[in-house]
Amino acid sequence: MRFIVKSYGCQMNSYDSQRMEDSLLEASHQRANSLVDARLIVFNTCCIREKASEKLFSDLGRVRALMNGSAEKFLIAVTGCVAQFQAQDVLKRAPWVDIILGTQDIHQIATKVDEAMHKQLSGSLVSTTLNAKSKFMRLSEQFFHRNVAEFITIQEGCNNFCTYCVVPHSRGREFSRAAVDVIQEAKQLILLGVKEITLLGQNVNAYAGEGLDGKKWNLSRLLAEFGQLNGLKRLRYITSHPRYMDEGIAEAHEKIATLAPSLHLPIQSGSNRVLGRMNRKYTVEEYLKCIQMLREHRPDLAFSSDFIVGFPGETDEDFQQTIELVEKVRFSQAYSFKYSSRPNTAAATMNDQISDTIKSQRLRVLQDLLNEQQNKFNKSFVGRHVNVLFTKKGKHKDQITGRSEYAQAVTVYNDDGAVFIGDIARVEVTETLPHSLIGKVVK
Ligand code: 5AD
Ligand code: SF4
């Protein structure tokens, strides 16, 4: 069957989508070029904010229209976080969906497709058990096409229960994969031409997998092992929780040559009162100390972060403290969101919800400041050299683009064909655009 996997949301979803594609290819299905050309459509979904969940339902409506206008038979699968968190909503609002697989049942995609193709009775096939161990044991062992910069999930789920967050419900409790498995996977990816690997986890610093010596390894120990991998040119990890950062990670940034000097460290708010109500388990002062400790070991470390504005009860004063925090840290890049109330989370029942108008105002102010900082950060590179891993062709003919070690998008003219996708080259930065750098390869 010709299939397409549409991935929403975070990098862990992209990883899961790739693994489902591997399973379908292994079972002799073929990739479709577009949605219209596909007969099996897999929506691998995200439910972190209400908008993300609703995107699925509007896409399902569009697919329904496509199905109604066609004589062909389609199979529709909904997988991932919405499937896990809102399976009943999916069944009710889109009863034409054939397969529903939760976040830790995605390894079943090929067998469920087979079942759905041959089943006699109508009704959806639903599987939403939260068992990460069995997922990783049973994922396809074959890896098909990969890009030069790829991801490996080393840890899934979260035990923190931040009061706004659905992840402990949609991905379950923390689970860490054994080092032997993730290293084996990395070696396979390297054979496929992968040059950069990002180790993924909802709370990657809480990694506690079985090590090669049979003992429990933490993240810094695992990073050290990845630092030894032949052929791996660059290493990253995401997402870090400030509470779980330790000196070992800071030392890893000093010692491991391939570990990129950029770090995503979400703070969410600059107000201790709000952080307390979010159940983040650290204060602004602890966050700043952590940044300082990391900078002492690796002065050029570039920090990115996540922010939520309009969390229940956030006052103008609280918001002002977030602005002050941003001014103190100076982020190279950041994501910011309006608080979105999610079912089954503690914050959803807090009674001092903030109006959308105020959320929008605060978001605008915060994003203006974060954009200004990103711009400043990027401008400071004009005339300097960065190391770029080229990942794809640029928008214009003869352009090639990639990422610097600081995770900036960098584009160069490559009309003489001096560099190829997969190369790391020194680039002199000549100018900056709002969200990227332009430069020329240093010969
Ligand atoms: N509303 C808004 N943003 C959220 N995030 C997580 N849950 C919510 C929510 N309910 C944001 C956090 C997190 C990022 C992945 O998404 O900033 O770090
Ligand atoms: Fe959600 Fe908090 Fe866990 Fe991150 S640490 S996944 S924000 S509960």
Side-chain angles (χ1 to χ4, degrees), residues 158-162 164-168 202-203 241 268 280:
C158 186
N159 296 351
N160 281 310
F161 288 92
C162 298
Y164 52 78
C165 188
V166 295
V167 165
Q202 259 83 41
N203 183 4
H241 187 299
Q268 314 297 357
R280 289 292 288 176

Side-chain angles (χ1 to χ4, degrees), residues 207-221:
Y207 178 78
E210 186 185 331
L212 298 183
D213 53 7
K215 294 189 186 135
K216 274 242 149 71
W217 280 11
N218 61 14
L219 180 62
S220 36
R221 181 66 192 84

Side-chain angles (χ1 to χ4, degrees), residues 317-368:
E317 168 66 28
D318 292 319
F319 178 65
Q320 200 45 42
Q321 290 177 3
T322 298
I323 296 292
E324 281 161 24
L325 176 276
V326 172
E327 279 164 350
K328 273 192 199 136
V329 177
R330 288 169 286 113
F331 293 98
S332 61
Q333 200 244 329
Y335 300 96
S336 44
F337 312 98
K338 289 194 249 184
Y339 167 73
S340 168
S341 171
R342 306 307 290 128
N344 298 341
T345 60
T349 55
M350 293 181 181
N351 51 21
D352 34 9
Q353 302 285 324
I354 305 290
S355 76
D356 193 59
T357 317
I358 293 185
K359 284 184 197 168
S360 299
Q361 280 168 1
R362 289 182 184 162
L363 190 66
R364 209 169 319 122
V365 172
L366 178 60
Q367 288 189 337
D368 282 350

Side-chain angles (χ1 to χ4, degrees), residues 5 10 15 34 37 99 116 160 163 179 185 187 189 194 235 299 318 322 338 344 348 351 355 374 388 432:
V5 180
C10 69
Y15 174 85
S34 66
D37 176 45
I99 298 165
N160 281 310
T163 53
E185 189 168 325
K187 287 181 177 164
L189 297 193
V194 173
L235 181 58
D318 292 319
T322 298
K338 289 194 249 184
N344 298 341
N351 51 21
S355 76
Q374 183 173 7
V388 178
T432 61

